[in-house]
Amino acid sequence: MSVRDDIADRVGVEFEDVDPVRVVLYAVLVGLVGFYLSPLESGLMTALKTEAEFATSPPFAPPTVDGFTLEPFGVALDTLSSAILNSIMLAVPATILSALLGSFAAYGLTNFEWRGQLGVVTLFIAGIFIPYQAVLIPLSRLWAIVNTKELLAPLLDVTLFSVQVPVLGTVELATHPHYASIINLIITHAAYGIPITTLLFRSYYKKLSTEMLEAARLDGASAFTVYRRIVLPLSTPMFAVTLIYQFTQIWNDLLFALVIIPSGSGPAAVATIALNELTGGIIQTFNTQMAGAFVAALPTLLVYVLFGDKFAKGVAGGT
C-alpha cells in the first residue's frame, strides 16, 4: 500500500487522481485574473496613499502605516458630489425610458404581423451600428435650435421633480440651473439606446409561448392587457439585462455630455466630465485622481452587485 492510500484509509478520504491538464488550466486562469485585476489593485493602492508615499513606492505596493490615508476619497467625493447628482438625474430616467420603449417596440415587432415590419427591424439593426461620432454635428445643431428650457418651463413643477438622495442631498430637477441640458442628454441617450434594447427584447419575446398569448387574446384581452398582464411580468430578466447595460453605457458616456452640455465642466457637468477637475496643474495628485475614478465607478458596480443574478438569468434567456 502506498503512503497516499495509507493516509486515505486513516482520515477516511478518497483522493481523486490529479489531472495535470486541469491544474495547468486553473493556473493559467488564475494568472489571467490576476493580470486583469492588476490595474484595479494598483489604482486602489494609489488612492490609499499619501502623495509622499506614492512618490517613494511602486503603485501596486500597499501603503505603509504612516503612508495610509483616506483623504483622497474625501476630496474626490467633495469635488464630484454635484456631478454624481447630475449623472443620477441623467442615467436613471434615460435608462428606464430606453428599456420601456425598447420593450414596447419589441412587443409590436414580435406579436403582430404588419406590412413593412422587416424594414423597421432592419432600421433598428442599422441604428445599433451608427457610431456616436457620426451624429455629433446634427445632434449639436438640433439642441442649439430646440430651446428645451422655454418649451418645458410651463410644464415643470418643483414638487414633482424633487427627491432626497442620501449623502448627495436633494435632487430638484426643475430648479437645477442647467436642467435643460440634462433633459437633452436624457432624450439623446434614451433615443440612442432604443435600437439595442428593442433587439434584445425582440429576441427574448420570440421565446415566449405563443399559445399562452393566443389564449389570452381568445379570452378577450386587448393587446395592451396582454402586454401588461403577461408579457411585462415575464420580462423581468431581460429588463435587468437592458437596465444594467444601458445604465453602464449612459453613466460612462463622455462624448455626448461634452457636446450637449454647453458649460463644459460647469454646474451641469456629469461625473465623467467632472473627473477632469481632479487633474492638477503642474503637480499631479494621482492618489486623488484614482480615488475619484473609484467614486465615479461605484454606482455601476453597485448596480451589477444588486442585479447580477437577474442579469445572468436574462442573458441565459430564462423565462
Side-chain angles (χ1 to χ4, degrees):
M1 179 181 295
S2 64
V3 176
R4 177 180 175 181
D5 294 335
D6 183 55
I7 296 175
D9 291 337
R10 291 182 180 181
V11 299
V13 177
E14 294 184 1
F15 292 100
E16 297 182 358
D17 293 334
V18 178
D19 186 359
V21 176
R22 185 177 294 273
V23 173
V24 173
L25 177 61
Y26 278 109
V28 172
L29 291 176
V30 171
L32 290 175
V33 170
F35 177 77
Y36 180 79
L37 295 178
S38 59
L40 293 178
E41 190 272 342
S42 297
L44 181 60
M45 294 301 102
T46 299
L48 295 174
K49 296 178 182 179
T50 61
E51 295 184 23
E53 177 75 9
F54 172 76
T56 58
S57 64
F60 56 84
T64 60
V65 177
D66 295 333
F68 175 82
T69 180
L70 293 176
E71 183 180 357
F73 286 94
V75 174
L77 187 59
D78 290 340
T79 305
L80 299 177
S81 58
S82 61
I84 290 176
L85 197 61
N86 293 339
S87 291
I88 291 175
M89 290 191 292
L90 160 66
V92 172
T95 300
I96 295 174
L97 276 176
S98 60
L100 281 177
L101 294 176
S103 176
F104 293 156
Y107 177 65
L109 290 171
T110 54
N111 293 278
F112 304 96
E113 295 291 338
W114 40 278
R115 183 178 299 177
Q117 185 176 16
L118 181 59
V120 173
V121 173
T122 304
L123 289 176
F124 275 112
I125 296 175
I128 298 176
F129 297 99
I130 298 177
Y132 283 15
Q133 294 82 356
V135 299
L136 290 182
I137 294 178
L139 187 66
S140 61
R141 291 181 64 87
L142 170 67
W143 293 124
I145 296 173
V146 178
N147 194 330
T148 307
K149 190 172 184 178
E150 289 186 2
L151 290 175
L152 297 181
L155 303 177
L156 290 177
D157 183 359
V158 177
T159 59
L160 297 179
F161 290 86
S162 178
V163 63
Q164 188 71 25
V165 178
V167 179
L168 297 178
T170 302
V171 178
E172 293 185 354
L173 180 58
T175 59
H176 194 280
H178 293 280
Y179 70 83
S181 298
I182 295 178
I183 292 177
N184 293 344
L185 276 173
I186 291 173
I187 297 173
T188 300
H189 280 292
Y192 212 90
I194 289 175
I196 182 63
T197 56
T198 299
L199 293 183
L200 288 173
F201 275 108
R202 184 173 181 269
S203 64
Y204 186 79
Y205 289 162
K206 281 183 171 295
K207 300 178 182 179
L208 296 180
S209 172
T210 56
E211 292 81 5
M212 177 178 55
L213 302 180
E214 288 295 334
R217 295 191 185 99
L218 291 176
D219 288 340
S222 64
F224 179 74
T225 302
V226 172
Y227 175 82
R228 182 170 59 89
R229 294 289 185 88
I230 300 177
V231 177
L232 187 60
L234 293 176
S235 303
T236 302
M238 186 49 63
F239 266 106
V241 172
T242 54
L243 290 175
I244 291 175
Y245 175 81
Q246 279 297 100
F247 183 85
T248 304
Q249 295 294 315
I250 295 170
W251 186 276
N252 293 331
D253 171 68
L254 175 64
L255 196 57
F256 279 164
L258 287 175
V259 172
I260 294 177
I261 297 178
S263 57
S265 60
V270 294
T272 50
I273 293 179
L275 280 174
N276 292 328
E277 297 183 7
L278 296 176
T279 303
I282 299 177
I283 300 177
Q284 297 292 325
T285 55
F286 293 103
N287 54 349
T288 305
Q289 295 175 32
M290 290 296 100
F294 279 98
V295 169
L298 184 60
T300 54
L301 178 62
L302 291 177
V303 168
Y304 273 98
V305 170
L306 294 176
F307 304 103
D309 56 338
K310 294 183 175 60
F311 181 85
K313 184 179 179 180
V315 171
T319 57

